[in-house]
Structure formats: C-alpha cells, structure tokens
Amino acid sequence: MDQPYDNKYPIDQPYDNKYPVDQPSDYDNKFPVKHHEESGPGDYDPIIAQYSDAQIKRIVRRVDLRLIPLCGLMYCVSLLDRTNLSNAAIAGMTKELNLRTTNPDRYSVITLVFFITYVIFQPPTTILTRFFGPRIWLATITLAWGVVMICFGFVKDWTALVGLRCLLGVLESGFFPGVVYLLSTWYKRYEVGKRYSIFYLIGSLASAFGGILAFGLMQMEGISGYGGWRWIFIIEGCLTCLVALLGYTFLISFPDNKNFRSIIPFLSVEERQLICARVNQDRSDADLEEFTVKKWLGGAKDWKIWAYGMCFGCATTVSYALAYFLPIILNLGLGYDTGTAQCLIAPPYAFAAIIMVLTGWFGDKYHQRGLCVAFNAILCIIGLAVMGWAYGDTRARYFGAFFATAGANANVPSVLTYQANNIRGQWKRAFCSATLVGGGALGGIVGSTVFRSKDSPTYVPGLSVAMGSQVVILLTVILLTVTFKSNNKKAERGEKILEDLPSFRYTV
C-alpha cells in the first residue's frame, strides 16, 4: 500500500493561505496572470486563479511526460505478450507442438482461453488498482506475467500452453482497465482524446514491430538447444520484467490520493490540488467517493455503459483478429515467406498510428467523438472488403490490410474517449472501465476464432464476421448520437439533469 507522501500537506485539506503556491517570478510580475482558457462562463476556482495559463500548461505537460510514455510502454509489452503467438506459430511452434490438428483447432483454443480468464477477473481489478495504488498494483502484475511469459519458452506440449495462457489472462486482466481509469482522473474531458491516442499508439508498436523483433529472435534457433520460437517468448518475457521495474520506479498514483507517493518526486501538493480543481471544474468528479458495492454496481443500470462496451468489443474483434492472424494470412493466404510476412506487419500499423493521432486531435479540437468512431468503422469495412474480395491481386489485398488495421486500431482510443467524455463519478468510471475492457475481451474471443485454417487462403467467413462487427458499431453510434442530442436539448430547457450535474452535457 502506498505510504503518505507528506503528512504536513494532506491532499484533501482545502486550499488556504497556510499552503501558498510558489511565489510569482519576475516574469509573472511583468506579465499579469490571465485565466481565459481555464475558466468557463461564470466559473471561478480559487486554486486555478493562482496560476496563469502558461503555468497550467507546463504542469499538464509534466503529467504528460511522466504518465503517457510509461503507460504506453507497459501496454506495449502487454500487447506483445498476448499476441506473439502468431509470430511463434510460423517460427516453428505449430510444427513442434503439433498444432495443425483441426479437431479441436489447437491454435484457436490456445488463443481463446486467455480471454476467458481475462473477462472473468476484470471487474474487481479496477477496485484493486485504487486499493493498492497504480504503482504497486500495475508494476507487480506486469512483473508476474513477464515471468509467466518466460515459462512459455519451456513448454513440452500444447496443453501446458493452454494453462499458461489462462494464467496470463488472470494477470493481464488488471492492467488495461486500471490504466484507462488512471489516465481519465488526470485530464479534462477534451484533453483525453489525444492522450488516449498517443498511449495506444505507443502500445500498438508491439503489433507494428513485434514481427520484426520475432524475426530477429528466430535467428537464435539452436542456442542452448532451444528452437527460435522459444527464444521469442523467453526474451520478450525478460523485456516485460524490465519494463515492470521501470513502472515501479516512475509510475504515479491518482491525483486525489491522500497517500500519494512516488520513488522519483513528482508534483507538489498544491500542483496536485490544481489538477483536481481542473477536473472538478470540468465535470465535478475529481474527489473520490466512499466505496460501496451498490454505488459501484449502480453504473450497470445505465444502458449506455453497455453500448460503449459493445462498440469496444466490436472494435477489438478486428484488432485482435489481425494481431493473431495477419502474419498467418500474409504467409498462408497471400503466399509470402515467413520472414517477409513478419516484416510486412509493420507498415499497416504505421498507417494506423497516423489515423489514430489525427482522429484524436480532431475529436479534441472539435468536441466530436461519435463521428470519429463512425469514420474509423467505415475505413475498416472498406479494408476488410478489399482483403476478402480482391481475388488474385496480392498487392490489393495487402493494401486492404492498411485500411482494416487503421480503422480497427484507431477505434480503440476513440471508443475509450467516447465513454470517458460521457460519464461522471469515480466509481461509475471505474465500473465503466471494467465493462468496456471486458467487452473488448469478448471481442478478443470472437477475433481469436473467426479466421480458421480451413478457410485459407481467402478467409471470407472471418472477414464477413469482422465487417458485421463494424456495422454494429455504426448502428450503435447512431443510436447514442440521437439519444445524446435529445437529452442535451432537454437539459438546456431545464427538463432534465444529466449525470447528476446540471451543467453536464453529452459529447456527441
């Protein structure tokens, strides 16, 4: 459990002159403080009033540099460890462990079991993130699954892989919802779009360059008597353990945490009070409510929570399917050799990164969320159609992989931001993080089974399911948009209070 940072300055004590902010510099005296960006119509906060816009931007930038790259790096190894099966499969694992049997399809079983435990253990993990603190909890589970990943390299048969994948699902279930929840507590609603995009962009480097890394590790074939596919698991597991130690050293807690502590000093008490004041000014939910099961489960009564989860699940259906099967599709479906197939994974993910950042920037600037989600879904449908029905044209089918990969992966941060902008309350946010990522895991179950070996080389059934999932996203966004606009109009007329806050309006 995190220990108190400084008993003299409790974070929950109201700001007054006993705890003054830093004295203004000569620069500040020459240029009077202005607050036109931070203060909304009729809003005034005594804490925010002590800072200029330039000072606030510097503090937020410090949060960005400390939080986003590290969380992204930890998510990168998370994705790398759960999706490196495809690279190991074409590097010799399928042959050595006899995974080519189709009754049952052993490879699909191995990919599937991860998501079963991932879904089951997700609901309580967001609460554990609060209880233990992000630094202790997230770093510990990352270290634990790194050790499990190393064990992958020493299995003797495919059933051992099934057991280890189940354990990996238990450990990784606590990471993504915990990080999503942590990031949402540090930023205002129209700041999180770009941050989620950059966070996921860093994480998706695992998918972009995992194949190239695997191709390099394959060259260790025969060292100490182990096949190249085993070294993929062993070395990548060691990298995960190293990243876990970085997380323990540099990761920070929630801004409102009274026991805020970091091994490397970060932000004064007053600066964290500023962060909380900004969030409260934006949506009035920076302060932690007392936990009760009833309050936590109360979010389940809001149908929109499940709609966000459905959108996220449909997005991850394609993103996971491509992560697990794109190397195999390139190898068996399009005829590229093993090394070429692993290296050709990177360009589509590089294109996805561009789309991800652009939609995040557009959404934050113009306060649009549903439009970004719909655009990405349409882009994905176009790409999947080209991949499936451009018969005889290998280059065209590979080009389709660019659009499909970009649309599916860009929608992960877009849907995260969509839900983050339209909910209020700490425990509702925690519950929504769990259900959202749980929906994503269900999408992983579908994505890990739709591309069957017997459907090679066209994989039309799997591509059809993937396209259908994107149509579901479009229909859900239309329903949410109509609902949001209707409720916003009622709130403007004073007929309805949204999310228990009179000034709150949904972001369409």
Side-chain angles (χ1 to χ4, degrees):
M1 185 77 69
D2 291 345
Q3 297 300 315
Y5 178 81
D6 190 333
N7 291 329
K8 294 192 299 180
Y9 303 118
I11 189 65
D12 58 344
Q13 184 161 341
Y15 177 87
D16 57 34
N17 290 331
K18 286 179 63 181
Y19 305 109
V21 297
D22 296 336
Q23 294 300 317
S25 63
D26 292 336
Y27 178 90
D28 295 321
N29 289 329
K30 292 177 183 177
F31 301 94
V33 174
K34 297 179 180 179
H35 308 287
H36 52 277
E37 291 185 10
E38 288 299 326
S39 298
D43 291 337
Y44 175 80
D45 189 285
I47 298 177
I48 296 176
Q50 300 296 320
Y51 295 84
S52 68
D53 290 337
Q55 289 173 320
I56 292 172
K57 287 179 180 178
R58 283 196 295 269
I59 293 171
V60 173
R61 181 56 54 87
R62 287 175 61 194
V63 175
D64 290 341
L65 294 176
R66 183 66 175 267
L67 197 58
I68 305 298
L70 180 58
C71 289
L73 180 61
M74 295 177 75
Y75 186 52
C76 181
V77 296
S78 171
L79 278 180
L80 188 67
D81 290 340
R82 77 177 71 166
T83 60
N84 55 12
L85 277 178
S86 58
N87 293 311
I90 63 176
M93 181 182 72
T94 298
K95 182 178 180 180
E96 186 172 336
L97 298 183
N98 191 25
L99 303 183
R100 293 189 184 279
T101 61
T102 57
N103 191 25
D105 189 327
R106 292 179 177 178
Y107 181 77
S108 292
V109 170
I110 293 169
T111 57
L112 172 66
V113 293
F114 167 87
F115 293 102
I116 296 175
T117 52
Y118 190 73
V119 171
I120 292 172
F121 286 90
Q122 230 162 45
T125 55
T126 313
I127 301 173
L128 294 176
T129 305
R130 263 288 178 184
F131 183 77
F132 290 108
R135 183 174 65 87
I136 299 297
W137 174 248
L138 298 179
T140 298
I141 60 175
T142 303
L143 180 64
W145 88 60
V147 173
V148 170
M149 186 53 52
I150 294 172
C151 295
F152 273 54
F154 299 98
V155 298
K156 300 299 182 183
D157 56 62
W158 77 282
T159 56
L161 270 182
V162 171
L164 288 173
R165 286 280 292 180
C166 287
L167 183 56
L168 185 68
V170 173
L171 295 170
E172 287 210 34
S173 68
F175 181 78
F176 193 64
V179 169
V180 169
Y181 178 33
L182 173 64
L183 291 176
S184 70
T185 61
W186 281 90
Y187 297 105
K188 297 166 66 174
R189 285 191 297 162
Y190 300 119
E191 295 174 340
V192 293
K194 294 188 292 290
R195 272 82 179 182
Y196 277 148
S197 294
I198 295 172
F199 155 71
Y200 190 76
L201 168 61
I202 297 171
S204 64
L205 291 175
S207 300
F209 298 104
I212 297 174
L213 176 61
F215 180 70
L217 294 176
M218 280 172 54
Q219 311 313 310
M220 299 177 69
E221 175 79 30
I223 295 179
S224 299
Y226 294 123
W229 68 271
R230 294 183 181 274
W231 285 110
I232 292 175
F233 291 127
I234 293 169
I235 299 301
E236 290 180 358
C238 291
L239 289 175
T240 298
C241 293
L242 178 62
V243 171
L245 295 178
L246 290 176
Y248 182 78
T249 304
F250 293 101
L251 202 59
I252 57 177
S253 187
F254 299 99
D256 62 284
N257 194 341
K258 293 182 289 185
N259 298 324
F260 190 98
R261 185 183 180 185
S262 176
I263 292 178
I264 307 298
F266 179 71
L267 294 189
S268 67
V269 174
E270 292 81 16
E271 288 169 332
R272 284 186 285 119
Q273 286 178 331
L274 169 69
I275 294 293
C276 292
R278 296 178 75 246
V279 172
N280 276 329
Q281 188 185 63
D282 179 54
R283 59 178 187 265
S284 298
D285 72 349
D287 302 320
L288 182 64
E289 306 164 279
E290 181 182 357
F291 174 76
T292 64
V293 173
K294 182 179 180 180
K295 186 176 295 184
W296 181 65
L297 291 176
K301 295 184 292 185
D302 186 350
W303 69 268
K304 297 188 293 297
I305 298 296
W306 306 104
Y308 304 137
M310 180 179 293
C311 285
F312 198 69
C314 290
T316 59
T317 292
V318 183
S319 64
Y320 275 124
L322 292 173
Y324 283 121
F325 292 100
L326 186 57
I328 297 173
I329 292 173
L330 294 174
N331 180 227
L332 300 180
L334 302 188
Y336 294 104
D337 61 69
T338 299
T340 303
Q342 288 177 326
C343 294
L344 285 178
I345 298 169
Y349 282 96
F351 179 66
I354 296 172
I355 300 300
M356 210 177 296
V357 172
L358 288 177
T359 52
W361 170 84
F362 177 87
D364 278 357
K365 182 174 177 64
Y366 296 103
H367 298 183
Q368 292 289 329
R369 301 303 181 198
L371 184 62
C372 296
V373 174
F375 169 79
N376 290 330
I378 293 171
L379 189 67
C380 186
I381 290 172
I382 295 172
L384 291 167
V386 175
M387 285 181 68
W389 286 272
Y391 295 117
D393 193 335
T394 301
R395 292 182 179 180
R397 294 181 69 190
Y398 179 58
F399 176 77
F402 279 72
F403 277 22
T405 304
N409 283 275
N411 246 350
V412 172
S414 291
V415 176
L416 286 174
T417 309
Y418 197 25
Q419 63 88 18
N421 276 194
N422 290 304
I423 55 176
R424 275 193 69 254
Q426 288 273 353
W427 293 116
K428 185 174 183 179
R429 192 170 298 277
F431 180 82
C432 189
S433 294
T435 55
L436 188 84
V437 181
L442 293 175
I445 292 175
V446 177
S448 64
T449 57
V450 293
F451 290 98
R452 301 172 299 180
S453 300
K454 65 180 183 180
D455 297 325
S456 175
T458 57
Y459 297 99
V460 169
L463 291 168
S464 300
V465 172
M467 291 174 65
S469 70
Q470 303 308 294
V471 173
V472 172
I473 289 179
L474 290 173
L475 295 176
T476 305
V477 168
I478 291 172
L479 176 61
L480 286 171
T481 300
V482 172
T483 301
F484 288 161
K485 287 187 175 182
S486 174
N487 286 339
N488 284 347
K489 289 178 180 179
K490 291 179 181 179
E492 291 291 342
R493 295 194 298 265
E495 299 172 2
K496 191 171 187 177
I497 296 178
L498 306 179
E499 300 293 323
D500 299 319
L501 185 67
S503 62
F504 187 88
R505 299 293 181 271
Y506 289 118
T507 304
V508 297

